[in-house]
C-alpha cells in the first residue's frame, strides 16, 4: 500500500451482490433497547467463535447463506485457474500465470482481479522484473478495474 514500509497482502473475493434480495430486518419486531441487546449478543457470540478459533474466513464462506448465494456464479474451474495463475504470478512464472488467468477469463470474462493481474504483467512486457519478489509495489493510488 502506498506509504507503507512493509509489503501488505491484499485479497479479493468474487461476490455478485445482485443475487441478494432485500429482506426484513430480523430485529424489527423488537423494541429499540431489545434490538441493541440482541445485536450485542450476536456480536459477542461472533467474537467468542473467533477467539476460540471455531470461526475462520473459510468457515464463514462455507456457512453464510448470503455469501454462498453471492458466490454461486463463481465456478470451481474458475477458482482453480485463478489460484494456479496467481501462484505462478507470485513465483515469477508469468508465462504460466498468463495461460491460467486467460483460461479463467474464458470462464468468467469480467473478473476484475484477473484483468488487473494480466494488465500489470502486460505493462511489464509479460516479464517479471529482475528484482521480482512476488508482488508489485503500489506507488500511487490504484484505479479499481471494473469490467
Amino acid at each position: 500500500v502506498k506509504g507503507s514500509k512493509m509489503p501488505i497482502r491484499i485479497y479479493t473475493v468474487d461476490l455478485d451482490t445482485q443475487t441478494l434480495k432485500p429482506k426484513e430486518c430480523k430485529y424489527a419486531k423488537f423494541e429499540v433497547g431489545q434490538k441493541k441487546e440482541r445485536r450485542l449478543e450476536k456480536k459477542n457470540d461472533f467474537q467468542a467463535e473467533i477467539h476460540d478459533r471455531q470461526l475462520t474466513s473459510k468457515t464463514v464462506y462455507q456457512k453464510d447463506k448470503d455469501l454462498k448465494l453471492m458466490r454461486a456464479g463463481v465456478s470451481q474451474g474458475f477458482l482453480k485457474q485463478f489460484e494456479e495463475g496467481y501462484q505462478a504470478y507470485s513465483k515469477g512464472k508469468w508465462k504460466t500465470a498468463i495461460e491460467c488467468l486467460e483460461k479463467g477469463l474464458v470462464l468468467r470474462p469480467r473478473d476484475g482481479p484477473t484483468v488487473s493481474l494480466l494488465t500489470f504483467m502486460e505493462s511489464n512486457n509479460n516479464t517479471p522484473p529482475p528484482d521480482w519478489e512476488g508482488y508489485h509495489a503500489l506507488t500511487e493510488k490504484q484505479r479499481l478495474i471494473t469490467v
Side-chain angles (χ1 to χ4, degrees):
V1 174
K2 182 182 177 185
S4 176
K5 301 290 183 208
M6 297 292 295
I8 298 171
R9 290 198 174 271
I10 298 176
Y11 298 91
T12 66
V13 179
D14 289 300
L15 298 175
D16 180 4
T17 59
Q18 299 301 311
T19 60
L20 294 179
K21 306 281 186 269
K23 44 182 156 172
E24 184 179 319
C25 175
K26 58 185 167 187
Y27 302 112
K29 61 186 173 199
F30 298 107
E31 297 294 323
V32 175
Q34 290 175 314
K35 289 179 189 179
K36 286 182 181 180
E37 188 176 307
R38 294 283 179 148
R39 286 187 181 124
L40 183 60
E41 285 173 15
K42 186 79 170 164
K43 179 182 173 184
N44 289 339
D45 290 347
F46 187 73
Q47 288 175 337
E49 285 182 59
I50 292 171
H51 184 266
D52 295 339
R53 297 185 189 268
Q54 296 173 7
L55 186 69
T56 65
S57 57
K58 183 177 181 178
T59 59
V60 169
Y61 280 94
Q62 291 172 338
K63 292 180 180 181
D64 187 277
K65 289 182 234 170
D66 289 337
L67 288 172
K68 286 169 73 171
L69 183 62
M70 288 187 289
R71 289 187 52 85
V74 181
S75 73
Q76 290 302 309
F78 168 79
L79 293 172
K80 180 180 183 291
Q81 290 300 319
F82 184 84
E83 175 67 21
E84 288 177 12
Y86 180 77
Q87 291 302 321
Y89 160 82
S90 294
K91 293 175 182 173
K93 299 176 181 179
W94 285 12
K95 183 178 182 207
T96 302
I98 292 165
E99 290 171 5
C100 292
L101 294 170
E102 285 179 343
K103 286 179 186 175
L105 276 184
V106 171
L107 300 171
R108 194 170 171 84
R110 298 176 31 184
D111 184 66
T114 301
V115 171
S116 181
L117 289 174
L118 288 168
T119 300
F120 176 75
M121 288 186 285
E122 186 178 306
S123 74
N124 286 280
N125 297 315
N126 296 325
T127 305
D131 59 346
W132 182 247
E133 294 186 37
Y135 62 90
H136 69 272
L138 302 178
T139 57
E140 58 187 46
K141 187 174 183 175
Q142 301 291 300
R143 182 178 67 83
L144 176 63
I145 296 180
T146 55
V147 287

